[in-house]
Amino acid sequence: MSEFKESKSITQPTESHASENNDGQHSLINGPPEKFELGSMYSDEHSRIESEPVSHSAPRDVDWDGPDDVLNPMNWTPGKKWRTLGIISLMTFVTPLSSSMFAPAVTEVMKGFKSSSTILGEIVVSIYVLGFAIGPLIIAPMSELYGRKWIYLISCAAFVIFTMACALSSSMSMLIVFRFLAGCAGSTPVTLGGASIGDMFPKEKRGAAMAVWGMGPQLAPSVGPIIGGFLAEAEGWRWVFWLQAIIAGIIMFLGAIILRETYAPVILQRKTVALIRETGDSGLKSSLQDPTPTSQIFTRAIIRPIKMLLFSPIVLLLSMYTAIIFGYLYLFITTLPQVFQGQYGFSVGVSGLTYLGLGIGAILGLMVVGKTSDSMYRKLAARNKDIGVPEHRLPPLLVTIPLVSIAFFGYGWAVETRTHWSVPMIMTALFSMGMMPAFICTNMYFVDAFGRYSASALAASKLLQSVVGAFLPLAGRPLFDHLGLGWGNSVLGFIALTFLPVPWLFFRYGEKLRTRFDVAF
């Protein structure tokens, strides 16, 4: 309760009412309400409070103690914000790391369990990503009910347990089941990270924060196979999972020490509970409290991501594009070892190095977004009478979106003709350089556009991404067997090319579309 002692503002009921801006922060309109400080109430009116019963007839709102309230995550010191973001970013790195770190070891697993099914070999990798589709449907509403911090920590603990179970698996079916459960638990930081950034950082400073957080989900799938390839070759495939569990356990311990709650409605609710205990006034309520019953809130929150996908063309089309890109990434992850071992004669360990192209391109893409996003946002806002809108997040994506198609055309024909191995690696770097702005700009767009419900918008996007990421790699081998590596990858390039107009369409007409197709929550 001590953390609430510096912030004890109570809003007396007036004719004014509350509204929410896109950041999910509470604002008061129609004139300032009457406020009084609990500290002065105790010192000046102590005897009156003791002698008169507290009136509970008119509930009073507990709000932030002014615009500079230290409890409001928007007002945290930069050090506190970046420490919190640092832990979230580490969590967001280790769980996608597990999705791909295992890929080079699949051949060893197949030998160990005496299986020759190529489909099973691909499923044991992609089933983890399917967990990323199911997890957000529960995680997003839970975070909007109970806050972010404990969802992060509990999910991290579950991830450690399920990863250890993968290491101890005695059959292929057991390994597949625990890989799926580990994916469900591991989806938490990927789902909530963007929403946590929206909780702490104002719009004009989210670009750099998103770039740092975005390293995890985009860079980890490129780094993972490099580590996993050599580790599996030296120590066996089980140690790939033991290493993941050790890293996640350390991060969970750091998170228990450093993480703080960032979700404003939960912080104000805890502040309200502390004030009720201190004053005995049960008439107090949080200004952000939703009077709807918890069961109804939870049901509505589970349905909300599906509603966004079905009824918001912005969420649907941007999620479809990022889903295609995500599926392409995991197509690379599952096929690169086979291509370079088959076409160029690389060993299991050395084939893991072929993911370096994806990693280098991801870093370049992060640099593009980190350097340009916030500055472009401020310039476009200045041209719009100092009013920033979510569409101002899209310019980096407008520039880099053609790189995905170019990469697939170049990669496909380079490996088909067995051009020097450096050429297809350069093409994979171009792909991930185009991929990074797609994910980061889309995440920032959803956070800016949906504010308090940004976790649900991101969950909707992750749902579609993960389904495509899980099943598209299964179509890779039949596609390449039928059309060859050249034309097979060209087909993927043409599909990506059809999405070229999407960000331009939303940059110009996104605000009208958001207004016209506003989803009722």
PDB file of all heavy atoms in Angstrom, residues 42 76 93 101 149 169 214 350 489 520:
ATOM      1  N   TYR A  42      -7.077  14.153   6.668  1.00  0.00           N
ATOM      2  CA  TYR A  42      -6.773  13.567   7.968  1.00  0.00           C
ATOM      3  C   TYR A  42      -6.335  14.614   8.981  1.00  0.00           C
ATOM      4  O   TYR A  42      -6.706  14.583  10.142  1.00  0.00           O
ATOM      5  CB  TYR A  42      -5.660  12.514   7.831  1.00  0.00           C
ATOM      6  CG  TYR A  42      -6.157  11.232   7.263  1.00  0.00           C
ATOM      7  CD1 TYR A  42      -5.429  10.578   6.279  1.00  0.00           C
ATOM      8  CD2 TYR A  42      -7.353  10.669   7.706  1.00  0.00           C
ATOM      9  CE1 TYR A  42      -5.894   9.388   5.763  1.00  0.00           C
ATOM     10  CE2 TYR A  42      -7.809   9.483   7.183  1.00  0.00           C
ATOM     11  CZ  TYR A  42      -7.072   8.839   6.209  1.00  0.00           C
ATOM     12  OH  TYR A  42      -7.520   7.672   5.698  1.00  0.00           O
ATOM     13  N   TRP A  76       6.784   7.707 -15.346  1.00  0.00           N
ATOM     14  CA  TRP A  76       7.947   7.051 -14.771  1.00  0.00           C
ATOM     15  C   TRP A  76       9.227   7.689 -15.294  1.00  0.00           C
ATOM     16  O   TRP A  76       9.246   8.277 -16.378  1.00  0.00           O
ATOM     17  CB  TRP A  76       7.955   5.572 -15.134  1.00  0.00           C
ATOM     18  CG  TRP A  76       6.934   4.746 -14.411  1.00  0.00           C
ATOM     19  CD1 TRP A  76       6.083   5.156 -13.427  1.00  0.00           C
ATOM     20  CD2 TRP A  76       6.647   3.359 -14.643  1.00  0.00           C
ATOM     21  NE1 TRP A  76       5.292   4.114 -13.017  1.00  0.00           N
ATOM     22  CE2 TRP A  76       5.613   3.003 -13.738  1.00  0.00           C
ATOM     23  CE3 TRP A  76       7.158   2.392 -15.499  1.00  0.00           C
ATOM     24  CZ2 TRP A  76       5.098   1.708 -13.700  1.00  0.00           C
ATOM     25  CZ3 TRP A  76       6.646   1.112 -15.451  1.00  0.00           C
ATOM     26  CH2 TRP A  76       5.630   0.770 -14.558  1.00  0.00           C
ATOM     27  N   PHE A  93      12.703 -12.050 -26.641  1.00  0.00           N
ATOM     28  CA  PHE A  93      13.792 -12.643 -27.414  1.00  0.00           C
ATOM     29  C   PHE A  93      13.847 -14.154 -27.210  1.00  0.00           C
ATOM     30  O   PHE A  93      13.986 -14.925 -28.162  1.00  0.00           O
ATOM     31  CB  PHE A  93      15.130 -12.017 -27.020  1.00  0.00           C
ATOM     32  CG  PHE A  93      16.308 -12.588 -27.754  1.00  0.00           C
ATOM     33  CD1 PHE A  93      16.622 -12.155 -29.033  1.00  0.00           C
ATOM     34  CD2 PHE A  93      17.103 -13.560 -27.166  1.00  0.00           C
ATOM     35  CE1 PHE A  93      17.707 -12.689 -29.719  1.00  0.00           C
ATOM     36  CE2 PHE A  93      18.196 -14.098 -27.839  1.00  0.00           C
ATOM     37  CZ  PHE A  93      18.489 -13.657 -29.118  1.00  0.00           C
ATOM     38  N   MET A 101      15.415 -22.315 -32.839  1.00  0.00           N
ATOM     39  CA  MET A 101      16.662 -22.888 -32.346  1.00  0.00           C
ATOM     40  C   MET A 101      16.693 -24.406 -32.534  1.00  0.00           C
ATOM     41  O   MET A 101      17.744 -25.023 -32.700  1.00  0.00           O
ATOM     42  CB  MET A 101      16.818 -22.532 -30.861  1.00  0.00           C
ATOM     43  CG  MET A 101      18.166 -22.834 -30.263  1.00  0.00           C
ATOM     44  SD  MET A 101      18.211 -22.176 -28.568  1.00  0.00           S
ATOM     45  CE  MET A 101      19.825 -22.764 -28.045  1.00  0.00           C
ATOM     46  N   LYS A 149       2.043  -7.533 -15.466  1.00  0.00           N
ATOM     47  CA  LYS A 149       3.206  -8.080 -14.764  1.00  0.00           C
ATOM     48  C   LYS A 149       3.066  -9.559 -14.460  1.00  0.00           C
ATOM     49  O   LYS A 149       3.936 -10.365 -14.832  1.00  0.00           O
ATOM     50  CB  LYS A 149       3.443  -7.299 -13.455  1.00  0.00           C
ATOM     51  CG  LYS A 149       4.579  -7.882 -12.622  1.00  0.00           C
ATOM     52  CD  LYS A 149       4.757  -7.132 -11.301  1.00  0.00           C
ATOM     53  CE  LYS A 149       5.817  -7.813 -10.432  1.00  0.00           C
ATOM     54  NZ  LYS A 149       6.013  -7.084  -9.156  1.00  0.00           N
ATOM     55  N   SER A 169      11.343 -35.532 -23.209  1.00  0.00           N
ATOM     56  CA  SER A 169      10.374 -36.298 -23.994  1.00  0.00           C
ATOM     57  C   SER A 169      10.943 -37.652 -24.419  1.00  0.00           C
ATOM     58  O   SER A 169      12.104 -37.765 -24.804  1.00  0.00           O
ATOM     59  CB  SER A 169       9.954 -35.508 -25.235  1.00  0.00           C
ATOM     60  OG  SER A 169       9.242 -34.354 -24.875  1.00  0.00           O
ATOM     61  N   GLY A 214      11.322  -4.965 -30.717  1.00  0.00           N
ATOM     62  CA  GLY A 214      11.152  -5.758 -31.936  1.00  0.00           C
ATOM     63  C   GLY A 214      12.325  -6.641 -32.274  1.00  0.00           C
ATOM     64  O   GLY A 214      12.209  -7.531 -33.124  1.00  0.00           O
ATOM     65  N   VAL A 350      27.297 -26.147 -39.916  1.00  0.00           N
ATOM     66  CA  VAL A 350      27.566 -25.009 -40.809  1.00  0.00           C
ATOM     67  C   VAL A 350      26.270 -24.490 -41.425  1.00  0.00           C
ATOM     68  O   VAL A 350      26.131 -23.286 -41.672  1.00  0.00           O
ATOM     69  CB  VAL A 350      28.572 -25.420 -41.906  1.00  0.00           C
ATOM     70  CG1 VAL A 350      28.749 -24.316 -42.930  1.00  0.00           C
ATOM     71  CG2 VAL A 350      29.918 -25.775 -41.287  1.00  0.00           C
ATOM     72  N   ASN A 489       9.696 -20.206 -55.302  1.00  0.00           N
ATOM     73  CA  ASN A 489       9.941 -18.962 -54.570  1.00  0.00           C
ATOM     74  C   ASN A 489       9.399 -17.752 -55.325  1.00  0.00           C
ATOM     75  O   ASN A 489       9.012 -16.756 -54.706  1.00  0.00           O
ATOM     76  CB  ASN A 489      11.433 -18.796 -54.304  1.00  0.00           C
ATOM     77  CG  ASN A 489      11.919 -19.649 -53.144  1.00  0.00           C
ATOM     78  OD1 ASN A 489      11.677 -19.345 -51.982  1.00  0.00           O
ATOM     79  ND2 ASN A 489      12.583 -20.745 -53.469  1.00  0.00           N
ATOM     80  N   ALA A 520     -17.309  -2.008 -32.177  1.00  0.00           N
ATOM     81  CA  ALA A 520     -17.870  -1.799 -30.841  1.00  0.00           C
ATOM     82  C   ALA A 520     -17.308  -2.852 -29.891  1.00  0.00           C
ATOM     83  O   ALA A 520     -17.371  -4.044 -30.163  1.00  0.00           O
ATOM     84  CB  ALA A 520     -19.391  -1.891 -30.890  1.00  0.00           C
TER      85      ALA A 520
END
